Amino acid sequence: MKQPIRIVGQGMAGSMLAWHCERAGIEFELIDRGHATAASRVGVGLVSPLTGKRLAPTWRFSEWRDEVLTMYRELESELGLSLVREMRIRRFYRDAKQRELFESRIEKPEIAAWVDGLDDDGLWLKGALQVETGTLIAGLRKRWRQQGCLVEGVVPTDVEGAAIWCVGAERVPIRGIPWGPSRGELITGRLEGLEEDVVLNDGQWLLPQEDGRVRVGSTFDRDDLVSKCTDAGQSQLIAAAERLAGRPIQGATGDSGLRVTVPDGRPVVGWVDAARTQGVFAGFAAKGALWAPALARQWVVDGLDGAKLDPEVRLGRFFN
Ligand SMILES: Cc1cc2nc3c(=O)[nH]c(=O)nc-3n(C[C@H](O)[C@H](O)[C@H](O)COP(=O)(O)OP(=O)(O)OC[C@H]3O[C@@H](n4cnc5c(N)ncnc54)[C@H](O)[C@@H]3O)c2cc1C
């Protein structure tokens, strides 16, 4: 009898892989130690068409945005949870130099496609999504525990064994992948009266919730990977909230998590060995809400041999 696929870690990566296995009728076994440190619990699941100081197109956003929106809608109806919102982004210029840069960049068709207007203060971007990744992984965990296909426990990452490693910023037992973790802090507090479907962004973002709360993030620290929240990080975010909303945030509390990426900024996906005993599905940086469901579908859809995986994400690029 064929062994079930063994998936270690049930953040967005492990959840999306297991969900596509379930849909394809492939048996799986999930092992996860709990969501206390999961980036998917902390992150806010923003999926933006254009990001960063240079308004760069998000890799594969145009190709995958509608497909992942459909998947999240299906998950909403399966789990009876509210998981995804369509959003606009109000992207403010930091200064005159950035305004000049953005105005020159929107000449490019791949950037213009997502710009929905501009004025003296900034741009309006369309097409963004916000996914409640923490709610999603908690909902799937409950279902899979009830079905007996999720086991709570720690799989030692220094011991080799057949598995697909979906352990986020935790080191996987495969040498040669140049992981780069970073710690991100955010705050949650109250700021009433903002438009619920508009993300404010000037390099830091402010995400309104439907209940008068907002989430504001995030910091980026490659050196201190250990602290929970720092005074400097929390002050930076409280100041960002006031700058973006024009008034102070009330009752702010902080949280933090680790994201992980590799130097080319692409996820890391595929089998390590020809016998397909060890696999990796990680490196989702701050784009897990877009990349994890789309790449999990690609990996599972052809029976897990990986032949249809996007060449830019293949694990083999580190071993050539
Ligand atoms: C502050 C912050 C803001 C973010 N904002 C966004 C955003 O706006 N949009 C976006 O798309 N992404 C965002 N992200 C990134 C996003 O959260 C990640 O891309 C994604 O959630 C990573 O999912 P993952 O499954 O790879 O890792 P994780 O969510 O970390 O899941 C890993 C799981 O594996 C388990 N595990 C680890 N080791 C073991 C082991 N040895 N045995 C058993 N279980 C184990 C952990 O307990 C955990 O449950 C943000 C991240 C942070 C920190």
Side-chain angles (χ1 to χ4, degrees):
M1 203 183 88
K2 237 182 150 190
Q3 291 290 314
I5 300 282
R6 191 164 186 249
I7 299 170
V8 183
Q10 191 249 322
M12 278 300 284
S15 293
M16 293 299 93
L17 205 56
W19 185 62
H20 282 288
C21 283
E22 188 176 68
R23 284 156 66 98
I26 298 167
E27 265 192 75
F28 65 91
E29 177 196 28
L30 259 172
I31 305 122
D32 185 276
R33 68 176 178 207
H35 290 156
T37 61
S40 310
R41 180 191 58 75
V42 177
V44 298
L46 270 174
V47 178
S48 311
L50 308 169
T51 56
K53 289 181 190 145
R54 294 190 52 78
L55 212 61
T58 296
W59 184 71
R60 296 285 187 260
F61 176 90
S62 300
E63 292 87 342
W64 293 346
R65 185 243 183 224
D66 291 350
E67 177 190 354
V68 303
L69 176 58
T70 303
M71 289 184 214
Y72 288 126
R73 293 281 182 231
E74 286 168 9
L75 278 157
E76 280 186 327
S77 87
E78 275 182 30
L79 297 172
L81 294 169
S82 177
L83 297 173
V84 63
R85 295 190 288 160
E86 297 195 62
M87 308 290 288
R88 292 179 297 149
I89 298 179
R90 179 67 169 133
R91 182 67 204 257
F92 295 109
Y93 308 124
R94 287 303 285 252
D95 49 35
K97 206 168 151 206
Q98 191 171 63
R99 175 179 180 165
E100 207 177 299
L101 175 73
F102 283 11
E103 284 177 354
S104 69
R105 300 268 297 151
I106 60 175
E107 305 284 313
K108 294 176 184 291
E110 68 274 22
I111 294 180
W114 302 106
V115 176
D116 201 20
L118 76 168
D119 56 32
D120 286 346
D121 297 325
L123 309 174
W124 285 95
L125 307 182
K126 60 185 173 186
L129 306 174
Q130 192 254 322
V131 185
E132 291 294 340
T133 53
T135 307
L136 172 56
I137 63 171
L140 285 170
R141 186 181 195 87
K142 190 171 160 201
R143 178 165 95 189
W144 287 328
R145 277 185 65 181
Q146 281 166 357
Q147 292 171 353
C149 45
L150 185 140
V151 177
E152 306 226 336
V154 178
V155 179
T157 48
D158 56 350
V159 176
E160 296 206 359
I164 299 181
W165 297 94
C166 304
V167 292
E170 196 85 14
R171 294 280 155 148
V172 295
I174 290 135
R175 296 209 184 116
I177 305 172
W179 298 115
S182 65
R183 190 179 58 87
E185 294 182 32
L186 48 73
I187 56 172
T188 303
R190 294 205 79 77
L191 248 167
E192 314 269 350
L194 296 168
E195 281 183 80
E196 284 170 11
D197 68 340
V198 178
V199 181
L200 306 176
N201 186 323
D202 66 358
Q204 313 252 231
W205 44 258
L206 184 152
L207 172 72
Q209 304 293 117
E210 285 158 350
D211 58 1
R213 285 181 313 132
V214 296
R215 286 184 272 175
V216 185
S218 56
T219 62
F220 186 91
D221 190 338
R222 280 194 192 283
D223 300 320
D224 174 2
L225 301 178
V226 180
S227 298
K228 181 80 179 152
C229 294
T230 60
D231 290 346
Q234 296 295 291
S235 305
Q236 180 187 330
L237 296 171
I238 287 168
E242 183 154 4
R243 192 175 65 237
L244 286 163
R247 54 189 189 282
I249 188 168
Q250 305 294 326
T253 55
D255 205 347
S256 74
L258 295 182
R259 341 161 171 88
V260 68
T261 187
V262 291
D264 65 13
R266 302 284 181 259
V268 181
V269 187
W271 296 109
V272 179
D273 52 336
R276 295 187 214 148
T277 55
Q278 296 272 329
V280 178
F281 194 52
F284 290 101
K287 306 282 190 300
L290 175 69
W291 294 343
L295 286 166
R297 191 200 55 74
Q298 274 191 9
W299 201 3
V300 169
V301 112
D302 61 356
L304 277 170
D305 71 358
K308 291 188 185 163
L309 273 175
D310 196 310
E312 289 197 44
V313 305
R314 290 181 189 201
L315 174 71
R317 71 192 189 275
F318 301 108
F319 305 116
N320 290 332

